[in-house]
Amino acid sequence: METAEIVRRFLAFFEQNEHTVVPSASLVADDPTLLFVPAGMVPFKPYFLGQRTPPYDRATSVQKCIRTVDIDEVGKTSRHATFFQMLGNFSFGDYFKEKAVPLAWKLLTTPVADGGFGVDPDRLWVTVYLDDDEAERIWREEVGVPADRIQRFGVEENYWSMGVPGPCGPCSEIFYDRGPAYGAEGGPVADENRYVEIWNLVFMQYERGEGGAKKDYPILGELPRKNIDTGMGLERLASLLQGVDNIYETDTLGRILQDTAARTGVAYGADERSDVMLRVVADHVRSATMLVSDGVRPGNEKGGYVLRRILRRSIRNLRLLSGTDASFLHDLTETAISAMSGIYPELRGNADRIHEVVDTEEKNFSDTLRSGTALFGRAAERTRGSGSAQISGADAFQLHDTYGFPIDLTLEMAGEQGLSVDEDAFRRLMQEQKDTAKRDAKAKKLGNADISTYAQLLEGSGATDFLGYTDAESESRVLGLIVDGAPVTAARAGDKVELVLDRTPFYAESGGQLADKGTVAADGRGTVDVDDVQKPIAGLFVHRGTVRSGEIAVDDRVHAVIDSDRRASVSRAHSATHLIHSALRNALGPSTGQAGSENRPGQLRFDFTANKALAPAELAEVEEEVNTVLAGDIQVRDFETSLDEALSMGALAMFGEKYGDRVRVVEMSDYSRELCGGTHVNATGQLGIVKLLGESSVGSGVRRVEAAVGLDAFRRLSKESLLVGRLSEQLKAPREELPQRIDTMVSRLRAAEKEIEKLRAAQVLQAAEGLAAGAREHGSALVVAHRAPDGTGADDLRRLALDVRGRLGEDRPVVVAIAGVSKDRPVVVTAVNKAGQAAGLRAGDLVGVAARALGGGGGGKPDVAQGGGNDATAVGAALRAVEQRVSEAP
């Protein structure tokens, strides 16, 4: 049975049993305590916590999930995966154990011809919590599971909570017996390799208090409304129904794995090491495809870091498998899209964007591998220079963390050069990083209290009525006040306060548009200066500001007024953003998409996807096109419609953004049509003028343009005109000739600087003969230890050291140490001839001695090395330290 058919049957079964089919939420979690959705119940968490009233009593879903904690284990076992899908059915105070248990059994065991999964009931085992006699009785008496196939487990296995105070309760799990070939008899308690868990039924019937995540917390009592939360791994069920040994051989992952094997020329099943790599690629390519489809882009933080890591692991494994640096990722991504589009048809519509992101990251990582190889070479050189055969954990961690260089690659390259890596130190640094991330995540959980406070306000008073599209002021009522994170009944002068109103003209920051500012005043009582407005949860506008005077209280009637001039200026910037978006698509092609924006008074920035910088001529064309549209004074129209209708009209949607069934469309004739909730001008002529200020890179495959709009653009142009006028006057040249005149001056200046550099270098090298003549004996070696004039650069120091060494010949050991101070930082270069190296003297060792005296470090080859430090007063001590080390040499 194909995976798509499993999904169809599961949802159809529960829909027939009066469950609302809920589409999968985005992989990017709405919950601020989570990076990605890690479980099927997460989108329903506010309902289980009582923060919001569910719109249905029963629900069913197939939820996309990502778990990152076991990335390093992916491919090594038959069960670990980064991306997986969770089948689930949920009851919010409707039915409980007596209904959930028979439903699960019926779906699993009903014959395929009758719409079920056709699992042999004699191969199913059940576990219940230690004292959950009720669940055991239902399984035994109502379902008919033999008592000897029902086993009891403790709190670690069969009791569930969210890890924080709230709902909790016992679990009941269904296991499938794979047969004696997979392990010992005796049920799940005997062998969980043979008996595989396929479905977990959670019975939320109690409320827990503070305590540990898994245990050691008090049970405060029974919940007034008991809930059901079940989860069945789609991939694991598919492996059983398709008769394969693990999830990597199912029809979806298996297609990607087999394509990987075919393209790299490696047979699956021939070697465990290559099998692991093939499984890693299959999992990671599918995971990356799903993440990119949900709007995640590679980066160095949060979700972007996870995506970048799994893409780079894929590329690295593909190179190891194939033995080449050929590019396979584009084709494998297409295979993943094809394999998963039967369940998620939106992948086809997002295919161009997915390929663009993945292809760009593959190219960038190829560049990283080249630069990382050079960095590794320097680390290896430093290691040998210090007399060690082990690359430090710090170097390995820097390669991994800063440059994205995989540790397995570092280990392999070190082995090829006869070196090892201090893996213990590397692991410690990695653990410190993980511990820091965990502490940050734990700190973020403190936001739960705030979310609950907002949720209670929304639950008690309903969504805020936003009037800002038509009104700049309103008569409103204060529904809630929050000071220092806690609800209050009143706030007084000087208090930093958050207000929730029943209706408001204030725009809450979203879609790149900054929030409105203004005032909220209770007649004769008090005034609040509002400087920010946010929507911490959907539908609730929270006005943040300071009580300027008097007092404001819950239930006060207030007059809310926005700063209209500021709003108009921000709206001009937002409308300009839409025009720039269209002009960029016209210039670069339809694959160019918005990747972020910020609209503030009179200015904007717009981030867009592109693999290369815009040429100045292209930027000028975009600017001219936008201003031509302004001159046409096109009417700006907004309206609401269904999402499907908007997309069929060609409206652009923000890639990865979440939209409801009803959407707002903002259109400027046929030139621009986008889904947008922001505020805009009535006609493009109101923008006045748009001036592009520049274009730059802000990340992998993402560029940014910045612009000034309206009066801000005029002021900018006025200042530039004044500056050009002054330059024209000073250089005695017409404005149109300024570029050529300045280019000529810059060329002359550079030529003069090069000439000065040559003269200075020659002057430094003139000292070589005298330095060689002044060499002194230290032990069996001739030593020159010299401080060069301040300002001498590292390259000149190196040339001087090599010149002096060459003049002293190879008849006996020679050591040259030249130090200087350039830009307030000391630099030292050491050089040793072949006779000195044969005598056991190494330039890398000696420069290390000098650099430590300077408060720094360094390294290099045995014949020449360079180092530096922070203490410019210690140059003399550094040179003496070199002399002392040579004197002590055997």
Side-chain angles (χ1 to χ4, degrees), residues 803-817:
D803 193 342
V804 172
R805 185 187 68 179
R807 290 172 186 272
L808 291 172
E810 291 290 344
D811 294 338
R812 58 186 298 185
V814 170
V815 173
V816 180

Side-chain angles (χ1 to χ4, degrees), residues 45-116:
K45 183 178 172 182
Y47 307 145
F48 290 132
L49 288 173
Q51 294 174 342
R52 301 185 66 179
T53 300
Y56 25 67
D57 293 330
R58 304 178 180 188
T60 185
S61 70
V62 180
Q63 175 60 45
K64 298 176 290 187
C65 302
I66 288 279
R67 286 186 186 165
T68 60
V69 293
D70 295 323
I71 283 181
D72 291 330
E73 299 303 313
V74 167
K76 298 176 184 178
T77 74
S78 63
R79 302 179 189 178
H80 285 99
T82 311
F83 171 85
F84 61 98
Q85 300 154 94
M86 191 62 72
L87 306 163
N89 60 286
F90 309 90
S91 166
F92 308 104
D94 184 19
Y95 63 82
F96 202 48
K97 298 177 189 178
E98 76 290 339
K99 181 82 172 176
V101 167
L103 280 174
W105 187 264
K106 181 179 180 181
L107 176 57
L108 284 174
T109 60
T110 295
V112 172
D114 296 329

Side-chain angles (χ1 to χ4, degrees), residues 16 59 242 274 318 354 628 643 689 705 813 859:
Q16 290 163 10
Q242 293 172 16
S274 60
L318 285 167
I354 295 170
T628 300
L643 177 60
I689 190 171
V705 291

Side-chain angles (χ1 to χ4, degrees), residues 254-488:
R255 283 180 62 184
I256 309 169
L257 187 148
Q258 291 300 334
D259 193 19
T260 305
R263 293 181 185 280
T264 58
V266 176
Y268 182 62
D271 173 71
E272 179 58 23
R273 182 173 179 270
S274 60
D275 283 357
V276 169
M277 288 190 285
L278 287 168
R279 291 194 288 262
V280 167
V281 173
D283 170 88
H284 285 6
V285 169
R286 183 175 73 153
S287 301
T289 298
M290 302 306 296
L291 283 169
V292 176
S293 182
D294 275 2
V296 181
R297 288 185 172 276
N300 293 325
E301 295 180 349
K302 299 181 180 179
Y305 176 80
V306 173
L307 175 57
R308 171 162 288 167
R309 183 183 177 195
I310 61 177
L311 279 171
R312 292 186 169 189
R313 287 191 89 208
S314 301
I315 297 165
R316 170 59 182 157
N317 278 280
L318 285 167
R319 291 185 175 213
L320 290 174
L321 286 165
S322 66
T324 72
D325 59 0
S327 175
F328 299 104
L329 214 52
H330 181 93
D331 293 329
L332 292 176
T333 300
E334 181 59 33
T335 302
I337 291 171
S338 176
M340 299 300 293
S341 59
I343 306 173
Y344 306 103
E346 66 271 16
L347 290 173
R348 278 289 165 212
N350 293 336
D352 289 345
R353 294 280 184 85
I354 295 170
H355 281 306
E356 179 187 12
V357 171
V358 172
D359 292 351
T360 299
E361 185 62 18
E362 183 171 32
K363 176 185 178 301
N364 290 343
F365 187 45
S366 296
D367 297 340
T368 294
L369 284 172
R370 283 192 291 272
S371 60
T373 301
L375 290 164
F376 172 83
R378 289 199 283 272
E381 201 172 89
R382 283 196 303 273
T383 300
R384 292 196 188 89
S386 66
S388 173
Q390 186 178 66
I391 292 174
S392 71
D395 280 338
F397 181 76
Q398 183 184 35
L399 282 165
H400 170 84
D401 191 57
T402 306
Y403 300 101
F405 218 54
I407 183 60
D408 58 340
L409 180 57
T410 302
L411 289 168
E412 180 179 329
M413 293 177 66
E416 290 170 354
Q417 298 196 25
L419 300 172
S420 62
V421 178
D422 188 347
E423 287 190 73
D424 289 341
F426 172 80
R427 304 294 175 195
R428 283 196 300 272
L429 291 168
M430 287 292 292
Q431 190 60 49
E432 288 174 10
Q433 186 186 63
K434 289 180 181 178
D435 291 344
T436 300
K438 287 179 180 178
R439 286 194 296 271
D440 291 345
K442 186 175 182 181
K444 287 177 70 175
K445 288 184 180 180
L446 296 175
N448 273 343
D450 293 338
I451 295 171
S452 297
T453 300
Y454 299 136
Q456 289 166 10
L457 284 169
L458 181 64
E459 184 70 24
S461 306
T464 307
D465 185 11
F466 176 59
L467 310 175
Y469 293 135
T470 56
D471 298 333
E473 54 188 281
S474 71
E475 300 302 322
S476 308
R477 184 169 67 90
V478 178
L479 301 178
L481 296 170
I482 300 171
V483 175
D484 294 331
V488 296

